[in-house]
Amino acid sequence: MALLKSNKLFYCVGNISPSLGVFSCRNSSWWGGVQMGPPDPILGVTEAFKRDTNPKKMNLGVGAYRDDQGKPFVLSCVRKAEALIAAKQMDKEYLGIGGLAEFSKACAQLALGPDNEVLKSGRSITVQTISGTGSLRIGANFLSRFHPGPKDVYLPKPSWGNHTPIFRDAGMSLKAYRYYDPSTCGFDFNGALDDISNIPAQSVIMLHACAHNPTGVDPRPEQWKEISDLVMKKDLLVFFDMAYQGFASGDIDKDAWAVRYFIEQGHNIVLSQSFAKNMGLYGERVGGFTVVCKDAEEAKRVESQLKILIRPIYSNPPMNGARIASTILNTAELRSIWLEEVHDMANRIIKMREQLAANLKKEGSSHNWQHVIDQIGMFCFTGLKPEQVERLTKEFSVYMTKDGRISMAGVTSGNVGYLAQGIHAVTK
């Protein structure tokens, strides 16, 4: 026996209840049509790594910094900032919708440079976001609602895996331009220029400011200049994603060069920032989203609409991480310590690249591994094929994503030789 109510089908599991005098019915499943989703590829690598009992096992899938003992690293400037914050015994009231004002100001100054004309004229707006992912999603939502041109975002091929669902779920269409050349494990400059020249006017183009994820391949300054000229000629809106400022080269100004150059050339960019990597604030979720506008009046209007977008999503961002980052950036002593520490982190990664290439040569590899050194940032596109990755995992317990991307943060002076031995064995 079934009862039809509000278009839902209810199945009776008994007759009239003597005590209640009503039918006892069981609701059919609300979620019967929900299919099992595919596992996250990086989390899957981590789970397989955890199950492995080989004492030499290596997890090169996760994009989080490790020290030379392979341990998570908390910066001393972060600990000092936390102590200063705790000593002030501040309240835990809500932040404003746009976040902690002193953080947002310091965030923009870090990216654009403190003397940038954009900041002095007040023609930009920066809001605090939930790390880089939250920044990108707020930006995607803003573009979906207000961008006057095509709702197309052109991503480099490949790009960070999360870029696609972030923009897709915000209602944007995803397209691509050539970026990585598998034959050289480097930048396909000519292919990029050719594809960009065919992008329709007023479309959105995503550019990685530094330490391109997942390839570690960045344009050289002279190449950035040509890209800037072409993008200006094509009248494209530039969306910079800068998740590694300072962490790529160890120099915050060098890593922000492309962003600042594009603004100098007259591009009114939008920008996402993250403090996960360069301050080690992974779980604190600290980021910023900036829109460079025509003038201060336009910036005020954009700010009002960003707040309207943010309010129904998470009301206002979390406080603790923003306080930590703001304290570091706005305290001369802590900022100095941070600049040294982020340089040291970047330098360790660079040294591991050099040692990996040297050890591969020592193993007798006949391949050219110069791209391992030339690439920059946390990730390296090794050029390994899926079948070689599979062998490396099965025979050496070295875990990475199937595309051959490795997190250089997982390489240490203690295991780099073992990694070179494994790579050589599967690439002979």
Side-chain angles (χ1 to χ4, degrees):
M1 179 177 179
L3 299 176
L4 194 63
K5 182 180 180 181
S6 301
N7 297 323
K8 293 291 180 183
L9 192 63
F10 292 83
Y11 297 95
C12 289
V13 296
N15 296 319
I16 297 176
S17 169
S19 59
L20 298 178
V22 296
F23 283 106
S24 176
C25 296
R26 176 175 59 81
N27 189 1
S28 62
S29 171
W30 293 104
W31 316 119
V34 176
Q35 298 179 354
M36 178 64 70
D40 184 280
I42 295 176
L43 293 181
V45 168
T46 300
E47 289 303 312
F49 168 80
K50 288 178 179 178
R51 292 191 298 268
D52 197 317
T53 58
N54 185 344
K56 292 184 177 182
K57 66 182 180 178
M58 297 176 65
N59 185 358
L60 304 181
V62 179
Y65 182 78
R66 298 291 182 261
D67 64 18
D68 202 43
Q69 285 70 51
K71 303 295 183 183
F73 179 65
V74 180
L75 280 66
S76 67
C77 63
V78 169
R79 294 296 192 207
K80 291 177 186 293
E82 288 176 325
L84 287 175
I85 293 165
K88 292 180 181 179
Q89 295 187 325
M90 293 185 282
D91 61 46
K92 299 291 185 181
E93 293 293 304
Y94 292 123
L95 291 177
I97 297 173
L100 189 68
E102 52 264 42
F103 165 77
S104 296
K105 180 179 179 181
C107 180
Q109 288 178 337
L110 179 67
L112 309 187
D115 298 322
N116 197 298
E117 169 274 325
V118 164
L119 299 178
K120 289 183 175 180
S121 66
R123 67 179 184 94
S124 69
I125 174 61
T126 300
V127 292
Q128 179 192 335
T129 58
I130 302 177
S131 203
T133 301
S135 174
L136 288 160
R137 184 55 190 265
I138 293 301
N141 284 4
F142 180 75
L143 294 180
S144 182
R145 183 171 294 184
F146 294 107
H147 179 52
K151 305 299 182 184
D152 296 327
V153 179
Y154 286 78
L155 301 178
K157 189 177 181 179
S159 195
W160 181 44
N162 218 14
H163 278 151
T164 293
I166 286 171
F167 284 97
R168 181 194 62 213
D169 290 356
M172 304 291 284
S173 297
L174 277 300
K175 298 188 178 180
Y177 62 93
R178 278 174 284 177
Y179 188 89
Y180 177 74
D181 184 351
S183 67
T184 63
C185 295
F187 182 36
D188 185 0
F189 181 49
N190 291 329
L193 290 183
D194 187 46
D195 284 355
I196 293 170
S197 68
N198 290 309
I199 296 177
Q202 297 191 330
S203 298
V204 181
I205 183 169
M206 169 63 69
L207 298 172
H208 296 226
C210 60
H212 179 274
N213 181 2
T215 69
V217 173
D218 286 351
R220 297 188 301 272
E222 60 270 22
Q223 293 174 326
W224 274 124
K225 289 180 180 180
E226 287 196 50
I227 294 169
S228 170
D229 290 344
L230 180 56
V231 167
M232 179 67 75
K233 181 181 177 182
K234 294 295 296 182
D235 191 23
L236 307 180
L237 173 61
V238 176
F239 196 137
F240 269 112
D241 186 359
M242 185 158 62
Y244 297 93
Q245 186 182 2
F247 192 93
S249 69
D251 183 328
I252 59 171
D253 296 319
K254 183 177 181 180
D255 291 347
W257 185 88
V259 169
R260 297 173 187 180
Y261 179 79
F262 271 63
I263 292 173
E264 271 180 28
Q265 298 306 304
H267 296 274
N268 287 342
I269 68 165
V270 296
L271 168 69
S272 285
Q273 288 170 265
S274 168
F275 289 82
K277 307 297 192 299
N278 58 8
M279 286 189 180
L281 297 175
Y282 302 96
E284 296 288 357
R285 314 308 291 146
V286 188
F289 177 66
T290 296
V291 182
V292 177
C293 301
K294 176 185 176 183
D295 52 38
E297 188 274 333
E298 183 175 273
K300 289 293 184 185
R301 287 187 279 113
V302 168
E303 179 183 21
S304 72
Q305 292 296 339
L306 286 173
K307 289 179 178 179
I308 289 170
L309 282 169
I310 290 168
R311 176 67 169 138
I313 301 175
Y314 54 82
S315 263
N316 41 63
M319 166 187 297
N320 192 58
R323 279 179 172 170
I324 293 169
S326 177
T327 300
I328 292 170
L329 293 173
N330 292 312
T331 307
E333 179 189 355
L334 295 187
R335 185 185 180 97
S336 178
I337 295 171
W338 172 60
L339 291 175
E340 290 180 14
E341 291 186 303
V342 73
H343 177 271
D344 289 346
M345 288 192 293
N347 200 45
R348 193 187 86 73
I349 296 291
I350 292 168
K351 285 182 178 179
M352 288 304 102
R353 289 179 177 278
E354 293 169 350
Q355 288 185 27
L356 178 57
N359 274 274
L360 281 162
K361 186 176 181 180
K362 183 180 177 182
E363 288 289 332
S365 177
S366 59
H367 297 287
N368 182 1
W369 297 101
Q370 183 61 36
H371 63 276
V372 173
I373 298 172
D374 291 343
Q375 293 173 12
I376 193 169
M378 182 170 286
F379 299 108
C380 172
F381 241 37
T382 59
L384 294 177
K385 298 176 175 61
E387 60 270 22
Q388 293 170 329
V389 171
E390 187 175 357
R391 275 193 63 196
L392 199 55
T393 300
K394 286 184 177 180
E395 297 175 24
F396 293 89
S397 297
V398 175
Y399 291 84
M400 65 182 72
T401 49
K402 292 180 180 179
D403 57 8
R405 186 198 81 163
I406 63 174
S407 171
M408 293 303 302
V411 183
T412 70
S413 56
N415 64 23
V416 65
Y418 179 71
L419 175 61
Q421 178 187 344
I423 291 176
H424 176 55
V426 303
T427 56
K428 283 193 284 189

